[in-house]
C-alpha cells in the first residue's frame, strides 16, 4: 500500500467514508474497514491531518445525503426500502435519540453502528434546522475520522516499528528462541529420566 500515491489513497478513503455514512450504502460497502486499513498510510503528521480531513468530509457528505432524503420524504422515510433493509428498530432508536438530544444526536450516535447512518435522515425527516444539523454533522464526522484514521495510523506505525525491531534484533531473537527450545527439550528429558528412575526403584 505504501507504494501507491498518497492522494489516491486519500481519495479512496474519502469515498469509503462516504459509503459508510451514506444512507444504505454502508451496508453494502465496508467503509469502516476500508478507512481503518487506509489509515495505515497516514505515516507522517501532514499525511495524518490530510487523511483526517478527507475522511471527515466524506462522512459529512454521506450525512447530507441522508439529511436531504429524510427532509424530502419526511414521514414516509420510515417505510422506505432502505430503512427496512437497515432495520426499522434502528430508525426508531435514531428518532428516540433525536427526541432526547435534538440535533446533537447526529454527534452522539456517531459511533453507534447503523444508527449513525440513519440519524441524519431522521434529522431531515424531523425537519431539524440545517443550521443545527451542520455543526453536529461536522463534529461527529471529525470524531469518527479521528477514531478510525487514528487506529489505522497507530496500527501502521506499530507494524513498521515491529518490522524494524525484528530486522535489527533478528539474530538475537533467533538465538533466544533456540535457547528456549533447548531448555524445554532438556527439561523434558530430565523429567522423563526421573520418571523412569522412579519406576525402576518401585519395581
Amino acid at each position: 500500500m505504501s507504494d501507491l500515491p498518497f492522494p489516491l489513497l486519500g481519495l479512496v478513503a474519502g469515498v469509503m467514508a462516504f459509503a459508510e455514512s451514506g444512507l444504505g450504502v454502508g451496508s453494502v460497502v465496508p467503509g469502516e474497514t476500508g478507512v481503518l486499513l487506509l489509515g495505515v498510510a497516514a505515516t507522517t503528521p501532514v499525511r495524518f491531518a490530510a487523511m483526517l480531513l478527507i475522511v471527515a468530509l466524506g462522512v459529512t457528505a454521506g450525512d447530507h445525503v441522508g439529511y436531504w432524503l429524510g427532509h424530502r420524504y419526511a414521514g414516509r422515510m420510515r417505510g422506505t426500502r432502505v430503512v427496512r433493509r437497515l432495520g426499522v428498530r434502528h430508525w426508531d432508536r435514531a428518532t428516540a435519540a433525536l427526541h432526547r438530544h435534538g440535533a446533537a444526536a447526529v454527534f452522539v450516535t456517531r459511533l453507534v453502528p447503523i444508527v449513525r447512518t440513519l440519524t441524519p435522515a431522521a434529522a431531515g425527516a424531523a425537519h431539524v434546522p440545517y443550521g443545527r444539523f451542520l455543526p453536529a454533522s461536522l463534529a461527529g464526522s471529525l470524531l469518527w475520522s479521528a477514531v478510525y484514521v487514528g487506529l489505522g495510523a497507530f496500527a501502521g506505525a506499530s507494524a513498521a516499528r515491529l518490522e524494524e525491531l525484528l530486522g535489527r534484533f533478528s539474530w538475537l531473537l533467533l538465538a533466544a528462541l533456540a535457547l528456549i527450545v533447548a531448555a524445554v527439550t532438556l527439561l523434558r528429558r530430565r523429567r522423563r529420566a526421573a520418571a523412569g528412575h522412579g519406576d525402576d526403584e518401585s519395581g
Side-chain angles (χ1 to χ4, degrees):
M1 186 179 295
S2 59
D3 296 333
L4 296 174
F6 180 75
L8 175 62
L9 296 176
L11 177 62
V12 174
V15 172
M16 297 293 277
F18 172 82
E20 177 64 27
S21 182
L23 187 61
V25 183
S27 62
V28 179
V29 180
E32 186 176 273
T33 303
V35 170
L36 189 64
L37 293 175
L38 289 166
V40 173
T43 54
T44 67
V46 173
R47 285 190 170 195
F48 181 82
M51 185 74 78
L52 185 72
L53 180 60
I54 293 170
V55 168
L57 290 175
V59 173
T60 195
D63 280 358
H64 279 71
V65 170
Y67 179 82
W68 292 115
L69 284 174
H71 193 272
R72 177 177 179 180
Y73 291 103
R76 293 176 292 165
M77 195 68 198
R78 188 176 186 272
T80 59
R81 183 183 303 173
V82 65
V83 171
R84 291 201 305 270
R85 186 174 72 245
L86 292 174
V88 174
R89 69 184 185 281
H90 297 303
W91 174 268
D92 292 339
R93 288 179 64 190
T95 302
L98 280 170
H99 288 157
R100 288 195 302 270
H101 306 291
V106 178
F107 174 82
V108 172
T109 63
R110 178 57 61 189
L111 299 179
V112 182
I114 304 179
V115 176
R116 65 166 171 255
T117 303
L118 292 170
T119 303
H127 299 291
V128 171
Y130 182 72
R132 295 181 181 176
F133 168 79
L134 179 60
S137 173
L138 290 174
S141 299
L142 284 171
L143 171 65
W144 191 91
S145 179
V147 169
Y148 286 96
V149 174
L151 286 174
F154 177 77
S158 299
R161 180 60 178 165
L162 180 61
E163 183 179 357
E164 179 185 346
L165 289 172
L166 288 176
R168 184 179 303 171
F169 300 112
S170 57
W171 288 107
L172 292 176
L173 290 173
L174 184 60
L177 181 61
L179 287 173
I180 292 172
V181 171
V184 170
T185 302
L186 181 61
L187 181 61
R188 286 181 177 177
R189 285 182 179 178
R190 287 183 175 179
R191 286 180 177 176
R192 287 174 186 169
H197 182 67
D199 290 340
D200 292 339
E201 289 182 349
S202 61

